[in-house]
Amino acid sequence: MLVERGTWAMNVEVVGEAYAIASNYLRRTGTIPDSYATNEQLLTIIVQMFRRGETNKIKLANKAIAEFEAAQLVI
């Protein structure tokens, strides 16, 4: 399903599936708490990468995990 936001069209399934893959991994490793709440930082990373042209859900998830974990080391 495509959802239009302003001038952007976003494939909700790809973004949602990439988020599910990345958040499940990060929860299992203990990087993020095990809750039903959406991690806004992780979702923002995925959406930004999607807008830059990455549409493969596995690549999105893997790159988002790496970027999220790198950001956690800085904090």
Side-chain angles (χ1 to χ4, degrees):
M1 174 165 86
L2 293 176
V3 176
E4 191 172 330
R5 293 185 131 181
T7 59
W8 292 97
M10 185 177 309
N11 188 325
V12 176
E13 284 90 16
V14 171
V15 171
E17 290 173 7
Y19 177 83
I21 293 166
S23 65
N24 285 338
Y25 172 82
L26 292 169
R27 284 187 182 106
R28 288 182 181 199
T29 61
T31 307
I32 61 175
D34 190 16
S35 69
Y36 291 109
T38 302
N39 185 295
E40 294 296 326
Q41 181 183 4
L42 179 60
L43 182 59
T44 300
I45 292 168
I46 292 171
V47 170
Q48 287 173 347
M49 284 192 275
F50 182 83
R51 287 182 175 167
R52 284 181 273 181
E54 183 59 67
T55 57
N56 182 298
K57 66 182 176 186
I58 302 297
K59 285 183 179 179
L60 273 171
N62 287 335
K63 290 178 180 181
I65 290 166
E67 191 172 323
F68 185 85
E69 289 177 332
Q72 297 304 306
L73 293 175
V74 174
I75 294 176

Coordinates of all heavy atoms in Angstrom, one line a residue:
M1 N 0.8 -1.2 0.0 CA 0.0 0.0 0.0 C 0.9 1.2 0.0 O 1.8 1.3 0.8 CB -0.9 0.0 1.2 CG -1.7 1.3 1.4 SD -3.0 1.1 2.6 CE -2.2 1.5 4.1
L2 N 0.6 2.2 -0.9 CA 1.3 3.4 -0.9 C 0.5 4.5 -0.2 O -0.7 4.6 -0.4 CB 1.6 3.9 -2.4 CG 2.5 3.0 -3.1 CD1 2.6 3.5 -4.6 CD2 3.9 3.0 -2.5
V3 N 1.1 5.2 0.6 CA 0.5 6.3 1.4 C 1.2 7.6 0.9 O 2.4 7.7 1.0 CB 0.6 6.1 2.9 CG1 0.0 7.3 3.6 CG2 -0.1 4.8 3.3
E4 N 0.4 8.6 0.5 CA 1.0 9.8 0.1 C 1.1 10.8 1.2 O 0.1 11.0 1.9 CB 0.2 10.5 -1.1 CG 0.9 11.6 -1.7 CD 0.2 12.1 -3.0 OE1 -0.5 11.3 -3.6 OE2 0.3 13.3 -3.2
R5 N 2.3 11.3 1.5 CA 2.5 12.3 2.5 C 3.2 13.5 1.9 O 4.4 13.5 1.5 CB 3.4 11.7 3.6 CG 2.8 10.6 4.4 CD 3.8 10.3 5.5 NE 3.0 10.2 6.7 CZ 3.5 9.9 7.8 NH1 4.8 9.7 7.9 NH2 2.8 9.9 8.9
G6 N 2.4 14.6 1.7 CA 3.0 15.7 1.1 C 3.3 15.4 -0.4 O 2.5 15.0 -1.1
T7 N 4.6 15.5 -0.7 CA 5.0 15.1 -2.1 C 5.7 13.7 -2.1 O 6.1 13.3 -3.1 CB 6.1 16.1 -2.6 OG1 7.2 16.2 -1.7 CG2 5.4 17.5 -2.7
W8 N 5.8 13.1 -1.0 CA 6.4 11.8 -0.9 C 5.3 10.7 -0.9 O 4.3 10.8 -0.3 CB 7.1 11.6 0.5 CG 8.3 12.5 0.6 CD1 8.4 13.7 1.2 CD2 9.6 12.2 0.0 NE1 9.7 14.2 1.1 CE2 10.4 13.3 0.4 CE3 10.2 11.2 -0.7 CZ2 11.8 13.4 0.0 CZ3 11.5 11.2 -1.0 CH2 12.3 12.3 -0.7
A9 N 5.6 9.6 -1.6 CA 4.8 8.4 -1.5 C 5.6 7.3 -0.8 O 6.8 7.1 -1.1 CB 4.4 7.9 -2.9
M10 N 5.1 6.7 0.2 CA 5.8 5.8 1.0 C 5.2 4.4 1.0 O 4.0 4.3 1.2 CB 5.8 6.3 2.5 CG 6.7 5.5 3.4 SD 6.8 6.1 5.1 CE 7.2 7.8 4.8
N11 N 6.0 3.4 0.7 CA 5.5 2.0 0.8 C 5.5 1.6 2.2 O 6.5 1.3 2.8 CB 6.4 1.2 -0.1 CG 5.8 -0.2 -0.3 OD1 5.2 -0.8 0.6 ND2 6.1 -0.8 -1.4
V12 N 4.3 1.6 2.8 CA 4.2 1.3 4.2 C 4.6 -0.1 4.6 O 5.2 -0.3 5.6 CB 2.7 1.6 4.7 CG1 2.5 1.2 6.2 CG2 2.3 3.0 4.5
E13 N 4.4 -1.1 3.7 CA 4.8 -2.4 4.0 C 6.3 -2.6 4.1 O 6.7 -3.2 5.0 CB 4.2 -3.4 2.9 CG 2.8 -3.7 3.0 CD 1.9 -2.7 2.2 OE1 2.5 -2.0 1.3 OE2 0.7 -2.6 2.5
V14 N 7.0 -2.0 3.2 CA 8.5 -2.1 3.2 C 9.0 -1.5 4.5 O 9.8 -2.1 5.2 CB 9.1 -1.5 2.0 CG1 10.6 -1.4 2.1 CG2 8.8 -2.3 0.7
V15 N 8.6 -0.3 4.8 CA 9.1 0.4 6.0 C 8.7 -0.4 7.3 O 9.5 -0.6 8.2 CB 8.5 1.8 6.0 CG1 8.8 2.5 7.4 CG2 9.1 2.7 4.9
G16 N 7.4 -0.8 7.3 CA 6.9 -1.6 8.5 C 7.6 -2.9 8.7 O 8.0 -3.3 9.8
E17 N 7.9 -3.6 7.6 CA 8.6 -4.9 7.7 C 10.1 -4.7 8.1 O 10.6 -5.5 8.9 CB 8.5 -5.7 6.4 CG 7.1 -6.2 6.2 CD 6.9 -6.8 4.8 OE1 7.9 -7.0 4.0 OE2 5.7 -7.2 4.5
A18 N 10.7 -3.7 7.5 CA 12.1 -3.4 7.9 C 12.1 -3.0 9.4 O 13.1 -3.4 10.1 CB 12.6 -2.2 7.0
Y19 N 11.2 -2.2 9.8 CA 11.2 -1.8 11.3 C 11.0 -3.1 12.1 O 11.6 -3.2 13.2 CB 10.0 -0.8 11.6 CG 10.0 -0.5 13.0 CD1 10.9 0.5 13.6 CD2 9.1 -1.2 13.9 CE1 10.9 0.7 14.9 CE2 9.1 -0.9 15.3 CZ 10.0 0.0 15.8 OH 10.0 0.3 17.1
A20 N 10.1 -4.0 11.7 CA 9.8 -5.2 12.5 C 11.1 -6.0 12.6 O 11.4 -6.5 13.7 CB 8.7 -6.0 11.9
I21 N 11.8 -6.2 11.5 CA 13.0 -7.0 11.5 C 14.1 -6.4 12.5 O 14.6 -7.0 13.3 CB 13.6 -7.1 10.1 CG1 12.6 -8.0 9.2 CG2 15.0 -7.7 10.1 CD1 12.9 -7.9 7.7
A22 N 14.3 -5.1 12.3 CA 15.3 -4.4 13.1 C 15.0 -4.3 14.5 O 15.8 -4.6 15.4 CB 15.5 -2.9 12.5
S23 N 13.7 -4.0 14.9 CA 13.3 -3.9 16.3 C 13.3 -5.2 17.0 O 13.7 -5.3 18.1 CB 12.0 -3.2 16.4 OG 10.9 -4.0 15.8
N24 N 13.0 -6.3 16.3 CA 13.0 -7.6 16.9 C 14.5 -8.0 17.2 O 14.8 -8.5 18.3 CB 12.4 -8.7 16.0 CG 10.9 -8.7 15.9 OD1 10.3 -8.2 16.8 ND2 10.4 -9.2 14.9
Y25 N 15.4 -7.7 16.3 CA 16.8 -8.0 16.6 C 17.3 -7.2 17.7 O 18.0 -7.7 18.7 CB 17.6 -7.7 15.3 CG 19.1 -7.8 15.6 CD1 19.8 -9.0 15.6 CD2 19.9 -6.6 15.9 CE1 21.1 -9.1 15.9 CE2 21.2 -6.7 16.2 CZ 21.8 -7.9 16.2 OH 23.2 -8.0 16.5
L26 N 17.0 -5.9 17.7 CA 17.5 -5.0 18.8 C 16.9 -5.3 20.1 O 17.6 -5.2 21.2 CB 17.3 -3.5 18.4 CG 18.1 -3.0 17.2 CD1 17.6 -1.7 16.8 CD2 19.6 -3.0 17.6
R27 N 15.7 -5.8 20.2 CA 15.0 -6.3 21.4 C 15.7 -7.5 21.9 O 16.0 -7.7 23.1 CB 13.6 -6.5 21.2 CG 12.8 -5.2 21.2 CD 11.3 -5.5 21.2 NE 10.6 -4.2 21.1 CZ 10.0 -3.8 20.0 NH1 9.9 -4.5 18.9 NH2 9.4 -2.6 19.9
R28 N 16.0 -8.5 21.0 CA 16.6 -9.7 21.4 C 18.0 -9.5 22.0 O 18.5 -10.3 22.8 CB 16.6 -10.7 20.3 CG 15.2 -11.2 20.0 CD 15.3 -12.2 18.9 NE 13.9 -12.7 18.6 CZ 13.7 -13.8 18.0 NH1 14.6 -14.6 17.5 NH2 12.4 -14.2 17.8
T29 N 18.7 -8.5 21.5 CA 20.1 -8.2 21.9 C 20.1 -7.3 23.2 O 21.1 -7.1 23.7 CB 20.9 -7.6 20.8 OG1 20.3 -6.3 20.5 CG2 21.1 -8.5 19.7
G30 N 18.9 -6.8 23.5 CA 18.8 -6.0 24.7 C 19.2 -4.5 24.5 O 19.3 -3.7 25.4
T31 N 19.3 -4.1 23.2 CA 19.7 -2.8 22.9 C 18.5 -1.8 23.1 O 18.7 -0.7 23.5 CB 20.1 -2.7 21.4 OG1 21.2 -3.6 21.2 CG2 20.6 -1.3 21.1
I32 N 17.3 -2.3 22.8 CA 16.1 -1.5 23.1 C 15.2 -2.3 24.0 O 15.2 -3.5 24.0 CB 15.3 -1.0 21.9 CG1 14.8 -2.2 21.0 CG2 16.2 -0.1 21.0 CD1 14.0 -1.8 19.8
P33 N 14.4 -1.6 24.9 CA 13.5 -2.4 25.8 C 12.5 -3.2 25.1 O 12.0 -2.9 24.0 CB 12.8 -1.3 26.6 CG 13.3 0.0 26.1 CD 14.2 -0.2 25.0
D34 N 12.1 -4.3 25.7 CA 11.1 -5.2 25.2 C 9.7 -4.7 25.5 O 9.1 -5.0 26.5 CB 11.3 -6.6 25.7 CG 10.5 -7.7 25.0 OD1 10.0 -7.4 23.9 OD2 10.3 -8.8 25.6
S35 N 9.2 -3.8 24.6 CA 7.9 -3.2 24.8 C 7.2 -3.1 23.4 O 7.8 -3.3 22.4 CB 8.0 -1.9 25.4 OG 8.6 -1.0 24.5
Y36 N 5.9 -2.8 23.5 CA 5.2 -2.6 22.2 C 5.3 -1.2 21.7 O 4.8 -1.0 20.6 CB 3.7 -3.0 22.5 CG 3.5 -4.4 22.7 CD1 3.1 -4.9 24.0 CD2 3.6 -5.4 21.7 CE1 3.0 -6.2 24.2 CE2 3.4 -6.7 21.9 CZ 3.1 -7.1 23.2 OH 2.9 -8.5 23.4
A37 N 5.9 -0.3 22.4 CA 6.0 1.1 21.9 C 7.0 1.1 20.8 O 8.0 0.4 20.7 CB 6.5 1.9 23.1
T38 N 6.7 2.0 19.8 CA 7.6 2.2 18.7 C 8.8 3.0 19.1 O 8.7 4.0 19.7 CB 6.8 2.9 17.5 OG1 5.7 2.1 17.2 CG2 7.7 3.1 16.3
N39 N 10.0 2.6 18.7 CA 11.2 3.3 18.9 C 11.3 4.4 17.8 O 11.6 4.0 16.7 CB 12.4 2.4 18.9 CG 13.7 3.1 19.3 OD1 14.1 4.0 18.6 ND2 14.2 2.8 20.5
E40 N 11.1 5.6 18.2 CA 11.0 6.7 17.2 C 12.4 6.9 16.5 O 12.4 7.2 15.3 CB 10.6 8.0 17.8 CG 9.1 8.0 18.3 CD 8.1 7.8 17.2 OE1 8.3 8.3 16.1 OE2 7.1 7.1 17.4
Q41 N 13.5 6.7 17.2 CA 14.8 6.9 16.6 C 15.0 5.9 15.5 O 15.5 6.2 14.4 CB 15.9 6.8 17.7 CG 17.3 7.0 17.1 CD 18.3 6.9 18.2 OE1 18.0 6.5 19.3 NE2 19.6 7.1 17.8
L42 N 14.7 4.6 15.8 CA 14.9 3.6 14.8 C 14.0 3.8 13.6 O 14.4 3.7 12.4 CB 14.6 2.2 15.4 CG 14.7 1.0 14.5 CD1 16.1 0.8 14.0 CD2 14.3 -0.3 15.3
L43 N 12.7 4.1 13.8 CA 11.8 4.4 12.7 C 12.3 5.6 11.9 O 12.2 5.5 10.6 CB 10.4 4.7 13.3 CG 9.3 4.9 12.2 CD1 9.2 3.7 11.3 CD2 8.0 5.2 12.9
T44 N 12.8 6.6 12.5 CA 13.3 7.8 11.7 C 14.4 7.4 10.8 O 14.5 7.8 9.7 CB 13.7 8.9 12.7 OG1 12.6 9.3 13.5 CG2 14.3 10.1 12.0
I45 N 15.3 6.5 11.3 CA 16.5 6.1 10.5 C 16.0 5.3 9.3 O 16.4 5.5 8.2 CB 17.4 5.2 11.4 CG1 18.1 6.0 12.5 CG2 18.4 4.5 10.5 CD1 18.8 5.2 13.5
I46 N 15.0 4.4 9.5 CA 14.5 3.6 8.4 C 13.8 4.5 7.4 O 14.0 4.3 6.2 CB 13.6 2.5 8.9 CG1 14.4 1.5 9.7 CG2 12.8 1.8 7.8 CD1 13.6 0.4 10.5
V47 N 13.0 5.4 7.8 CA 12.2 6.3 6.9 C 13.2 7.2 6.1 O 13.1 7.3 4.9 CB 11.2 7.2 7.6 CG1 10.6 8.2 6.8 CG2 10.1 6.3 8.2
Q48 N 14.2 7.7 6.7 CA 15.2 8.5 6.0 C 15.9 7.7 5.0 O 16.1 8.2 3.8 CB 16.2 9.1 7.0 CG 15.7 10.2 7.9 CD 16.7 10.6 8.9 OE1 17.7 10.0 9.2 NE2 16.4 11.8 9.6
M49 N 16.3 6.5 5.3 CA 17.0 5.6 4.3 C 16.1 5.3 3.1 O 16.5 5.2 2.0 CB 17.5 4.3 4.9 CG 18.8 4.6 5.7 SD 19.6 3.1 6.2 CE 18.7 2.7 7.6
F50 N 14.8 5.0 3.4 CA 13.8 4.7 2.4 C 13.6 5.9 1.5 O 13.6 5.8 0.3 CB 12.4 4.4 3.0 CG 11.4 4.0 2.0 CD1 11.3 2.7 1.5 CD2 10.5 5.0 1.6 CE1 10.4 2.4 0.6 CE2 9.5 4.6 0.7 CZ 9.5 3.4 0.1
R51 N 13.6 7.1 2.0 CA 13.5 8.3 1.2 C 14.7 8.6 0.4 O 14.6 9.2 -0.7 CB 13.2 9.5 2.1 CG 11.8 9.5 2.7 CD 11.5 10.7 3.5 NE 10.1 10.8 3.9 CZ 9.7 11.5 4.9 NH1 10.5 12.4 5.5 NH2 8.4 11.5 5.2
R52 N 15.8 8.1 0.8 CA 17.1 8.2 0.0 C 17.1 7.2 -1.1 O 18.1 7.2 -1.9 CB 18.3 8.1 0.9 CG 18.6 9.4 1.7 CD 19.8 9.2 2.5 NE 19.4 8.6 3.7 CZ 20.2 8.3 4.7 NH1 21.5 8.5 4.7 NH2 19.7 7.8 5.8
G53 N 16.2 6.2 -1.2 CA 16.1 5.3 -2.3 C 16.3 3.8 -2.0 O 16.1 3.0 -2.8
E54 N 16.6 3.5 -0.7 CA 16.7 2.1 -0.4 C 15.3 1.5 -0.2 O 14.6 1.9 0.7 CB 17.5 1.9 0.9 CG 17.8 0.5 1.3 CD 18.5 -0.3 0.2 OE1 19.7 0.0 0.0 OE2 17.9 -1.2 -0.4
T55 N 15.0 0.5 -1.0 CA 13.6 -0.1 -0.9 C 13.6 -1.6 -0.5 O 12.6 -2.2 -0.4 CB 12.9 0.1 -2.3 OG1 13.7 -0.6 -3.3 CG2 12.7 1.5 -2.6
N56 N 14.8 -2.2 -0.4 CA 14.9 -3.6 0.1 C 14.8 -3.6 1.6 O 15.6 -3.1 2.3 CB 16.3 -4.2 -0.4 CG 16.4 -5.6 0.0 OD1 16.4 -6.0 1.1 ND2 16.5 -6.4 -1.1
K57 N 13.8 -4.4 2.1 CA 13.5 -4.4 3.5 C 14.6 -5.0 4.3 O 14.9 -4.5 5.4 CB 12.2 -5.1 3.8 CG 12.2 -6.6 3.5 CD 10.9 -7.2 3.8 CE 10.9 -8.7 3.4 NZ 9.6 -9.3 3.4
I58 N 15.3 -6.0 3.8 CA 16.5 -6.6 4.5 C 17.6 -5.6 4.6 O 18.2 -5.4 5.7 CB 16.9 -7.9 3.9 CG1 15.7 -8.9 3.8 CG2 18.1 -8.5 4.6 CD1 15.2 -9.3 5.1
K59 N 17.9 -4.9 3.5 CA 19.0 -3.9 3.6 C 18.6 -2.8 4.5 O 19.5 -2.3 5.2 CB 19.3 -3.4 2.2 CG 20.1 -4.4 1.3 CD 20.4 -3.7 0.0 CE 21.2 -4.7 -0.9 NZ 21.5 -4.1 -2.2
L60 N 17.4 -2.3 4.4 CA 16.9 -1.3 5.3 C 17.1 -1.6 6.7 O 17.6 -0.9 7.6 CB 15.5 -0.9 5.0 CG 15.1 0.0 4.0 CD1 13.6 0.1 3.7 CD2 15.6 1.4 4.3
A61 N 16.7 -2.9 7.1 CA 16.8 -3.3 8.5 C 18.3 -3.4 8.9 O 18.6 -2.9 10.0 CB 16.1 -4.7 8.6
N62 N 19.1 -4.0 8.1 CA 20.5 -4.2 8.5 C 21.2 -2.8 8.6 O 22.0 -2.6 9.6 CB 21.2 -5.1 7.5 CG 20.8 -6.5 7.6 OD1 20.4 -7.0 8.7 ND2 20.9 -7.3 6.5
K63 N 21.0 -2.0 7.7 CA 21.6 -0.6 7.8 C 21.1 0.2 9.0 O 21.9 0.9 9.6 CB 21.4 0.1 6.5 CG 22.2 -0.4 5.3 CD 21.9 0.4 4.0 CE 22.7 -0.2 2.8 NZ 22.4 0.6 1.6
A64 N 19.8 0.0 9.2 CA 19.2 0.8 10.4 C 19.8 0.2 11.7 O 20.1 1.0 12.6 CB 17.7 0.6 10.3
I65 N 20.0 -1.1 11.8 CA 20.5 -1.7 13.0 C 21.9 -1.1 13.2 O 22.3 -0.7 14.3 CB 20.6 -3.2 12.9 CG1 19.1 -3.8 13.0 CG2 21.5 -3.8 14.0 CD1 19.0 -5.2 12.6
A66 N 22.8 -1.1 12.2 CA 24.1 -0.6 12.3 C 24.2 0.8 12.7 O 24.9 1.2 13.6 CB 24.9 -0.9 11.0
E67 N 23.3 1.6 12.1 CA 23.3 3.1 12.4 C 22.8 3.3 13.8 O 23.3 4.1 14.5 CB 22.4 3.8 11.4 CG 22.6 5.3 11.4 CD 21.9 6.0 10.3 OE1 21.9 5.5 9.2 OE2 21.3 7.1 10.6
F68 N 21.8 2.6 14.2 CA 21.2 2.7 15.5 C 22.2 2.3 16.6 O 22.4 3.0 17.6 CB 19.9 1.8 15.7 CG 19.2 2.0 17.0 CD1 18.3 3.0 17.1 CD2 19.5 1.2 18.0 CE1 17.6 3.2 18.3 CE2 18.8 1.4 19.2 CZ 17.9 2.4 19.4
E69 N 22.9 1.2 16.4 CA 23.9 0.8 17.4 C 25.1 1.7 17.4 O 25.6 2.0 18.5 CB 24.4 -0.7 17.0 CG 23.3 -1.7 17.3 CD 23.8 -3.1 16.9 OE1 24.6 -3.3 16.0 OE2 23.3 -4.1 17.5
A70 N 25.5 2.3 16.3 CA 26.6 3.3 16.3 C 26.2 4.5 17.1 O 27.0 5.1 17.8 CB 26.9 3.6 14.9
A71 N 24.9 4.9 16.9 CA 24.4 6.1 17.6 C 24.4 5.9 19.1 O 24.6 6.8 19.9 CB 23.0 6.5 17.1
Q72 N 24.1 4.6 19.5 CA 24.0 4.3 21.0 C 25.4 4.3 21.6 O 25.5 4.6 22.8 CB 23.4 2.9 21.2 CG 21.9 2.8 20.7 CD 21.0 3.9 21.4 OE1 21.0 4.0 22.6 NE2 20.3 4.6 20.6
L73 N 26.4 4.0 20.8 CA 27.8 4.0 21.4 C 28.3 5.5 21.6 O 29.0 5.7 22.5 CB 28.8 3.4 20.4 CG 28.6 1.9 20.2 CD1 29.5 1.3 19.1 CD2 28.8 1.1 21.5
V74 N 27.8 6.4 20.8 CA 28.1 7.8 21.0 C 27.5 8.4 22.2 O 28.1 9.2 22.9 CB 27.7 8.6 19.7 CG1 28.0 10.1 19.9 CG2 28.5 8.1 18.5
I75 N 26.3 8.0 22.5 CA 25.6 8.6 23.6 C 26.1 8.2 25.0 O 26.8 7.4 25.4 CB 24.1 8.1 23.6 CG1 23.4 8.8 22.4 CG2 23.3 8.6 24.8 CD1 22.0 8.3 22.1

